[in-house]
Amino acid sequence: MHLTNSNRLVLLSDPAMADDESEVTQFLKIPNTNKQNKAKERLENSDTLCGFGIFKGPRLQSWATENVYVVVYGIAGCFIAMAFSYFNGTITTLEKRYGIPTRTSGLISVGSDISTTLTSGFLGYYTGRKHRPRYIALGLVILAVFCLLMATPHFIYGSGEDALKLTREYMSTGYLNATQEDRTLCQNAHPSCVQDVSHWTPIFLLFFAQFISGIGCSLFYTLGLSYMDDNSSKSRTPAMLSWSAFLRMLGPAFGYSLASVCLRLYIDPQLEPLIGNNDTRWLGAWWLGWIILTVIMLVSAVFIYMFPKELPSARARRLKSSDGAGQNSLTELSLQDMMLAVKRLAKNKIYVYNTIASMLYFFGYVPYWTFTPKYIETQYQQSASTATMATGTVALGFSAAGVLLSGYVISKYKPSARSMAAWNGIVDIFTVAGILCYVFIGCDDSDKATSLSPTIDSCSASCHCEYVHYAPICSPNNITYISACHAGCTGKSKDQLGHLIYTDCKCIGALDFANATESQYARQGSCPVDCYNQFLIFLGVMCFLKFIGASGRTANLLLALRCVSFEDKSFALGLGNVVVCLVSFIPSPILFGWILDNNCIVWGKTCGTKGNCWLYDTKSLRYTMNLLSAACIFVGSFWNIGVWHHAKDLEIFESEGAEITVKEQEQFDLSEKPSEIKKN
């Protein structure tokens, strides 16, 4: 029989597990003398030493505590959430740079969920009994590779011709010659289409990067949370969960803030752009943040790697425990045992109803995690940096407050299972009401700009503008046109200040017959649109929803933990994570990405593909996206009623003063699903 070092520790610490003490002595082949005690002590000390190599001094050992681990692990989780939020904040820029439709960017974003679904169970099973901090550190190294791969397309393809054409350096060197400029004007014949530079390579790189990030997340969250559980006491569960979640929630705030700062810089910071960052053609330095995140991940991996296989305090509790938390490590799991566990969980109504409610809630709310910056940009005409800053620093601060407050209330007042289930239902109703408010928070100026597109197209049909790049111009009557070609302009000049003026614009006269002869010219750039008040109202509702939604998270996790038997807890939480990924986190971004594309009015067409969308039907998009999301969450609220009905006898907290085992703590923290943490 072959046993690992951890198995030997169990046998040594609990000889009752063997037939008699002589079996332990025989296995180790050490006489039952002081030599045996020294070997035992040396073996156990090696598993509780902090550091690596020559860095194992006594000062370093004082940091091997559960409090330090929670802080370090929480900060590392903050950096991971920061990376995924940074991606969400730069999606619109990536779409513009590489001509990616939103449905494709939605597919890219679920790459991590696909790999998490495929690997989390296997990695958790095969690495869970080994030196977990080292595998957690490996997960962070994989995430560092993910960050580096995300920036790789920029170093391969550069800033892009469209971005370079809008800089002073290229203007001064004659890069923009007369022939290129004339392509934006009304054409008498069909122009040749724009040759499409293959963008499947950057799309593949971005998807592959997201895919391997799921493997890193599986190692980090599955092993990291179980390590935290094994090395802490259950009596501190609600407080530790809230604080660790709070630290992770700082990640999106930092991630969106970093995206905001990087997007304020032009895609090539060394060049001087001729447009401002409020121009829809602006491309920010989306790649810069990934370099910073790569370094941060590697540094985090070093700190996590230093933790021992088992914290000294946890070893002391395990030796004092009569049951021995490590006893289960000798039990070999089989496929038959797994299928029996599936059957038990399928008959557990609280577990099934709670899982279905979570699936519907996440399906409806995932698009707001993924596409909120894009939604703000299109609906309220805000710059990419403003949209990401609002999404991160402001709204997610309310999420953190909701988690902390709910953790305090649950720890102090210890509500019943029914009370928690009822609150989850109330959270759903508030969420539905808030999303319905989104439907009515529109901007008339933004809606008006898109509603004129059919008229413009019918007027400019003879100008053959199909392959003209998006280059908006503004008429004197404050109407934005897709390009000078779409406005029917045939001439151009410069005013006294050097600004480009387009003249003889027949379509402007077609829309303003009263002033046709006076208004047939336009200036370069979009017309100013004032949607700031509507944006502030939307932001207020979003902050309220973030706070309410976060306040139900701890209660939902406690219900998911306590409704299953002791032996099924780890598997139940892992199975629930897989199901939610398959049904919600993977299909939802793809579906809502398709909805966004379906409401597109102006595509960046090339010879080979449509490319990215430049202009949306904002009113139609607002109704379709929000009503579908609200419907999913509303249906999910009925399943929470089912949870409330069957939870009347469910015990959340043990009687006051009762001793709480270490193993129970392990199962609780595993309920913090990796996909939930990443999207928030």
Side-chain angles (χ1 to χ4, degrees):
M1 179 177 67
H2 173 73
L3 295 179
T4 62
N5 287 341
S6 60
N7 297 142
R8 294 188 182 102
L9 281 177
V10 172
L11 288 172
L12 287 171
S13 61
D14 193 357
M17 294 177 59
D19 292 336
D20 52 51
E21 188 173 359
S22 64
E23 286 191 23
V24 180
T25 306
Q26 183 179 1
F27 172 74
L28 292 174
K29 297 182 180 180
I30 299 175
N32 192 9
T33 61
N34 291 335
K35 189 176 181 180
Q36 174 186 351
N37 295 330
K38 291 180 180 179
K40 170 184 174 182
E41 182 179 357
R42 186 166 56 251
L43 185 62
E44 293 187 339
N45 286 341
S46 65
D47 285 341
T48 57
L49 284 178
C50 184
F52 58 89
I54 61 174
F55 301 101
K56 291 184 177 180
R59 291 187 178 181
L60 195 60
Q61 305 311 313
S62 62
W63 294 92
T65 66
E66 60 186 80
N67 290 335
V68 173
Y69 176 77
V70 169
V71 172
V72 174
Y73 180 76
I75 293 175
C78 169
F79 293 148
I80 295 176
M82 181 178 176
F84 286 104
S85 300
Y86 183 83
F87 171 73
N88 291 340
T90 56
I91 279 181
T92 306
T93 303
L94 284 171
E95 291 177 357
K96 294 177 183 178
R97 170 62 188 90
Y98 298 108
I100 303 175
T102 306
R103 62 179 177 272
T104 304
S105 62
L107 179 61
I108 292 172
S109 68
V110 302
S112 60
D113 294 304
I114 294 174
S115 58
T116 297
T117 303
L118 295 175
T119 62
S120 59
F122 296 102
L123 291 175
Y125 179 77
Y126 288 108
T127 62
R129 302 176 186 181
K130 299 181 180 180
H131 199 303
R132 284 174 289 184
R134 294 180 182 176
Y135 280 95
I136 299 169
L138 175 62
L140 287 168
V141 172
I142 293 174
L143 286 164
V145 176
F146 147 69
C147 294
L148 187 60
L149 284 176
M150 289 297 293
T152 301
H154 175 78
F155 299 108
I156 296 176
Y157 293 98
S159 302
E161 180 180 337
D162 292 338
L164 296 177
K165 286 192 301 186
L166 298 173
T167 61
R168 188 172 302 279
E169 287 78 1
Y170 278 76
M171 175 72 76
S172 62
T173 58
Y175 186 83
L176 290 178
N177 55 50
T179 303
Q180 289 172 314
E181 278 293 323
D182 286 344
R183 291 180 181 177
T184 65
L185 299 176
C186 182
Q187 305 292 319
N188 295 324
H190 288 280
S192 59
C193 65
V194 180
Q195 292 297 326
D196 180 27
V197 179
S198 176
H199 292 315
W200 286 109
T201 301
I203 290 175
F204 173 78
L205 284 173
L206 294 174
F207 179 82
F208 180 71
Q210 288 284 335
F211 186 86
I212 67 168
S213 73
I215 301 174
C217 285
S218 296
L219 288 169
F220 182 83
Y221 291 114
T222 303
L223 300 180
L225 291 170
S226 65
Y227 182 82
M228 181 190 300
D229 303 335
D230 281 338
N231 290 274
S232 57
S233 58
K234 181 186 170 185
S235 58
R236 302 177 61 190
T237 291
M240 290 183 66
L241 177 65
S242 297
W243 278 107
S244 61
F246 171 75
L247 289 174
R248 285 190 294 271
M249 279 191 170
L250 295 178
F254 292 139
Y256 283 116
S257 298
L258 178 62
S260 178
V261 172
C262 292
L263 293 179
R264 291 176 190 270
L265 303 174
Y266 202 57
I267 190 169
D268 189 338
Q270 296 179 338
L271 302 180
E272 181 183 354
L274 298 174
I275 58 175
N277 59 13
N278 289 322
D279 194 299
T280 53
R281 295 169 294 171
W282 175 274
L283 292 179
W286 62 271
W287 54 273
L288 185 59
W290 292 116
I291 306 301
I292 299 173
L293 289 167
T294 300
V295 177
I296 291 176
M297 293 294 180
L298 292 175
V299 173
S300 301
V302 173
F303 282 96
I304 290 291
Y305 189 87
M306 289 184 178
F307 280 93
K309 184 175 183 179
E310 183 181 30
L311 294 179
S313 58
R315 172 176 169 265
R317 285 193 299 269
R318 176 173 57 80
L319 294 177
K320 291 180 180 179
S321 174
S322 58
D323 295 331
Q327 189 171 354
N328 289 336
S329 64
L330 294 176
T331 304
E332 293 294 335
L333 300 179
S334 66
L335 181 62
Q336 183 179 3
D337 295 332
M338 186 178 298
M339 296 310 298
L340 291 174
V342 171
K343 292 181 180 179
R344 288 193 297 269
L345 293 175
K347 295 178 181 179
N348 188 326
K349 293 183 178 180
I350 299 178
Y351 176 79
V352 172
Y353 291 171
N354 190 57
T355 301
I356 295 175
S358 298
M359 285 163 35
L360 291 167
Y361 179 86
F362 291 133
F363 190 94
Y365 211 79
V366 160
Y368 298 103
W369 291 335
T370 307
F371 298 121
T372 292
K374 186 181 185 70
Y375 185 88
I376 293 175
E377 290 179 51
T378 57
Q379 290 289 332
Y380 307 109
Q381 303 299 310
Q382 301 298 309
S383 66
S385 60
T386 300
T388 53
M389 181 66 75
T391 305
T393 58
V394 180
L396 289 174
F398 283 81
S399 295
V403 168
L404 288 178
L405 181 61
S406 63
Y408 170 78
V409 171
I410 292 174
S411 298
K412 182 174 180 62
Y413 298 103
K414 296 181 172 56
S416 65
R418 272 199 159 184
S419 298
M420 293 184 181
W423 178 247
N424 285 341
I426 294 173
V427 167
D428 285 348
I429 299 302
F430 275 123
T431 303
V432 171
I435 292 176
L436 290 178
C437 289
Y438 288 166
V439 175
F440 303 102
I441 307 175
C443 180
D444 292 337
D445 290 343
S446 180
D447 294 342
K448 180 182 177 182
T450 58
S451 65
L452 290 172
S453 181
T455 306
I456 298 170
D457 287 344
S458 62
C459 173
S460 60
S462 61
C463 289
H464 311 294
C465 306
E466 184 178 3
Y467 294 107
V468 175
H469 281 295
Y470 181 74
I473 62 172
C474 180
S475 70
N477 47 359
N478 204 38
I479 295 176
T480 299
Y481 293 80
I482 299 169
S483 69
C485 181
H486 290 81
C489 303
T490 58
K492 63 179 181 180
S493 62
K494 292 185 178 181
D495 61 12
Q496 296 177 350
L497 298 177
H499 298 150
L500 193 61
I501 303 295
Y502 293 94
T503 58
D504 300 323
C505 305
K506 61 181 181 180
C507 294
I508 295 179
L511 294 175
D512 188 9
F513 294 105
N515 301 299
T517 60
E518 299 178 5
S519 61
Q520 289 184 324
Y521 70 93
R523 296 181 180 275
Q524 189 179 36
S526 302
C527 297
V529 176
D530 186 11
C531 298
Y532 193 71
N533 291 334
Q534 292 86 341
F535 167 62
L536 291 180
I537 297 173
F538 171 84
L539 186 61
V541 176
M542 181 173 65
C543 291
F544 172 76
L545 291 184
K546 291 285 187 181
F547 178 81
I548 290 295
S551 68
R553 180 174 304 171
T554 303
N556 186 60
L557 297 179
L558 281 168
L559 288 171
L561 176 68
R562 299 293 186 258
C563 70
V564 295
S565 59
F566 175 80
E567 63 272 15
D568 289 338
K569 286 181 181 178
S570 293
F571 180 68
L573 295 169
L575 179 63
N577 184 42
V578 170
V579 171
V580 171
C581 280
L582 286 174
V583 179
S584 300
F585 290 123
I586 293 176
S588 181
I590 298 175
L591 173 63
F592 282 92
W594 177 84
I595 290 175
L596 281 161
D597 284 346
N598 198 46
N599 286 278
C600 181
I601 295 175
V602 180
W603 289 96
K605 292 184 179 180
T606 62
C607 295
T609 182
K610 284 184 177 180
N612 65 294
C613 181
W614 286 100
L615 193 64
Y616 291 91
D617 184 345
T618 54
K619 186 174 183 179
S620 177
L621 174 62
R622 189 168 64 249
Y623 276 81
T624 306
M625 178 176 174
N626 292 312
L627 289 178
L628 179 58
S629 295
C632 292
I633 298 174
F634 180 71
V635 174
S637 66
F638 289 98
W639 292 98
N640 274 321
I641 295 176
V643 175
W644 174 86
H645 176 74
H646 293 285
K648 57 183 177 180
D649 297 324
L650 182 63
E651 184 178 354
I652 299 294
F653 298 95
E654 294 185 3
S655 57
E656 188 174 356
E659 184 68 23
I660 301 174
T661 65
V662 174
K663 185 67 179 177
E664 190 77 359
Q665 167 68 15
E666 171 186 342
Q667 310 304 328
F668 181 85
D669 283 319
L670 279 172
S671 60
E672 183 73 71
K673 300 180 180 69
S675 297
E676 292 181 45
I677 299 167
K678 177 189 73 173
K679 302 291 184 183
N680 280 330

